[in-house]
Amino acid sequence: MLNLEQILKQDHLLRAMTGLNRQAFESLLPNFTQAYQDSQNKPEKRRKRAPGGGRKATLQTIESKLFYSLFYCKCYPTFDLASVLFNFDRSQAHEWVHRLVPILETGLGYRMVLPERKLHSMDEFVKRFPEVKRVMIDG
C-alpha cells in the first residue's frame, strides 16, 4: 500500500503521482472538501445505515480521497492495480472512482478551472479553435 503521508510531504512525489505540487493540492482541498460534503448531504440513494455506520472506509481522510481521485485521473490505473496500491478490493476501487471523480469535477468547477463547455462535434471544435490547422485523434 502507498504511504500517503510520505507522498504528501514530498513535493516531487506528489507531482509525479497527481500532477499537482503541494501548494496546488492544498489550494484544491477546500473546494474538494466542500463538494464532498455537499454530496454527502444529498445522497443519490436512500441510506441503509446512519452516517458513520458500517465498516470504516479505507480512504478515511479527505486528503486521501482527493489524492486517490487525482492519482486515478493522472495515471489511469486498472482497478486491479489501484486495489493493490490502495489496499482494497477491485470493486471498491471502481466504486471510489465513480464516486470521487464527479466530486473532483465539482470541486474544480467551484474554482472555475473547468472548460467552458464540452465539445460534441468537430464543427464545434473548429468554431472554438479556428487557429488549429491539424488535429490528431487517438482512439
Side-chain angles (χ1 to χ4, degrees):
M1 184 170 152
L2 297 173
N3 185 343
L4 189 58
E5 289 179 22
Q6 179 186 7
I7 294 167
L8 292 176
K9 288 179 185 175
Q10 297 183 22
D11 198 50
H12 70 281
L13 280 177
L14 185 62
R15 188 185 316 257
M17 299 185 91
T18 65
L20 298 179
N21 61 20
R22 183 69 184 167
Q23 182 181 2
F25 185 88
E26 288 293 331
S27 69
L28 179 58
L29 192 57
N31 294 343
F32 182 80
T33 302
Q34 182 63 46
Y36 184 79
Q37 289 171 349
D38 291 348
S39 75
Q40 294 298 101
N41 294 336
K42 301 174 191 171
E44 293 179 13
K45 56 186 176 183
R46 190 168 182 274
R47 295 185 68 101
K48 294 180 182 177
R49 297 179 188 89
R55 66 185 167 100
K56 299 303 174 210
T58 306
L59 300 177
Q60 290 187 354
T61 65
I62 196 70
E63 290 88 357
S64 64
K65 290 173 175 71
L66 176 58
F67 177 82
Y68 180 75
S69 57
L70 290 169
F71 174 78
Y72 180 81
C73 290
K74 180 176 188 293
C75 300
Y76 200 62
T78 63
F79 294 128
D80 290 319
L81 178 59
S83 70
V84 170
L85 292 174
F86 289 90
N87 198 28
F88 42 66
D89 191 69
R90 66 180 295 204
S91 64
Q92 192 61 45
H94 176 268
E95 177 67 30
W96 277 120
V97 165
H98 289 284
R99 197 159 130 203
L100 293 176
V101 169
I103 294 170
L104 175 62
E105 290 173 350
T106 302
L108 289 170
Y110 288 159
R111 295 195 52 190
M112 309 289 253
V113 294
L114 287 176
E116 240 178 82
R117 61 190 168 117
K118 293 183 179 179
L119 301 174
H120 300 287
S121 69
M122 280 303 294
D123 291 334
E124 286 183 46
F125 179 84
V126 170
K127 287 178 187 173
R128 178 99 169 131
F129 303 102
E131 68 278 359
V132 175
K133 302 295 181 213
R134 187 179 293 180
V135 176
M136 294 176 61
I137 299 175
D138 182 13

